[in-house]
Amino acid sequence: TDKPGFGNSGTTIGPFYTEPGTGYNNTPGRAMEFNGGTDIIQVDNGFFAFDSLLTTGSVSIAFWTFGDLLGDPRPGFPNTSFSAFGAAGRELMAHVPWEDGVVYFDAAGGFEPGVNRISQNATADQFEGTWNHWIFIKEGFGASGMSSIYVNNSLFHSGPTTAALGDIDSVFVGGNGTTTNEGYHGLMDDFAVWDHALGSAERTLVFNGIVIP
C-alpha cells in the first residue's frame, strides 16, 4: 500500500506480508516476503505518479532488505531489487547484489559505466542475514550528473552518470519487470520513491523511519 496516502499503491504478484511485528528491525509493522522467480510488485503511472521525476531530473529510492540465508547472491540466479521502465525501455534498475556479489545501480537508460551505471562490491553482512537500509540517488545529467548509493545512512559508493532520466511508466519492486528469473529472495520493507535527491538530513530521517514528502 501507499503509506503516505498518495494513491499510488502497487499490484502484488507472488510476495506476501509477514506477521505483525516483523517489520525491519522487528518494528511493529509487517515486511513483504519475496521468494525469487516471478515474485514482484508493480506500480503503474495511472495517477502520473512518476511524471515529476522527468521534471526534476532526479530520483531517490529507499528500502530495507533482509536477504535470506540460503544465499543471495546465488550463482545462476541473478537478483533485481527494483526496476523501472518507460516507452524508451529501462530507466532505473538496482541489484543488491547481482549474482557476482556486486551492487549495481543503473539510471537513465542502459548500463554503461559513467553514463548510466555505478557499481561496488558488497560484503555478505550488507545483503543477507540482517536488516540493511539502502538509498539509491540519481541527480542531474551531463557533466553534473551523479549517482550515489547509501547503506545504513553511510555512503557506499558514488560516481558520475551523464545520461538524463526519461519518462517512467511502471516501477517494479523485488524484480525485473521484463525478465522473470531475477526475483529477490528475502524480506523488504518501507520501499519509497522521491522526485529529488535526498539531502543528508532527509536521509537520516528516512533511515530512522520518518515519512517525508
Side-chain angles (χ1 to χ4, degrees):
T1 59
D2 183 358
K3 189 172 182 180
F6 294 134
N8 301 315
S9 296
T11 300
T12 302
I13 307 169
F16 56 90
Y17 279 116
T18 57
E19 294 297 318
T22 56
Y24 69 90
N25 293 333
N26 297 316
T27 50
R30 299 183 294 173
M32 189 69 75
E33 183 167 346
F34 294 80
N35 288 305
T38 59
D39 280 13
I40 204 165
I41 299 173
Q42 179 175 347
V43 183
D44 293 322
N45 197 12
F47 295 96
F48 309 105
F50 311 113
D51 286 4
S52 58
L53 306 184
L54 188 60
T55 302
T56 64
S58 299
V59 63
S60 298
I61 304 104
F63 52 91
W64 287 90
T65 61
F66 190 117
D68 70 44
L69 289 173
L70 291 177
D72 277 328
R74 304 165 186 232
F77 293 90
N79 160 56
T80 297
S81 302
F82 67 82
S83 57
F85 299 87
R90 176 200 309 213
E91 288 296 333
L92 295 168
M93 190 171 290
H95 313 283
V96 185
W98 190 245
E99 60 181 318
D100 57 3
V102 176
V103 173
Y104 294 94
F105 177 35
D106 300 334
F111 44 88
E112 182 179 347
V115 178
N116 317 96
R117 168 170 286 184
I118 61 172
S119 60
Q120 177 76 11
N121 286 310
T123 57
D125 62 337
Q126 292 174 322
F127 58 77
E128 69 177 10
T130 188
W131 283 107
N132 287 286
H133 189 256
W134 292 86
I135 300 179
F136 293 80
I137 298 174
K138 161 65 177 174
E139 55 184 321
F141 62 93
S144 61
M146 179 69 65
S147 291
S148 305
I149 306 171
Y150 294 82
V151 60
N152 299 324
N153 207 28
S154 295
L155 182 64
F156 176 75
H157 186 57
S158 64
T161 47
T162 57
L165 285 173
D167 192 30
I168 292 175
D169 296 325
S170 297
V171 169
F172 299 87
V173 182
N176 182 334
T178 62
T179 304
T180 59
N181 68 340
E182 297 179 11
Y184 173 68
H185 292 264
L187 306 177
M188 297 186 74
D189 200 1
D190 273 14
F191 188 94
V193 181
W194 293 266
D195 64 358
H196 64 282
L198 296 179
S200 177
E202 292 177 305
R203 293 194 302 270
T204 298
L205 288 172
V206 172
F207 177 67
N208 288 322
I210 307 300
V211 177
I212 64 172

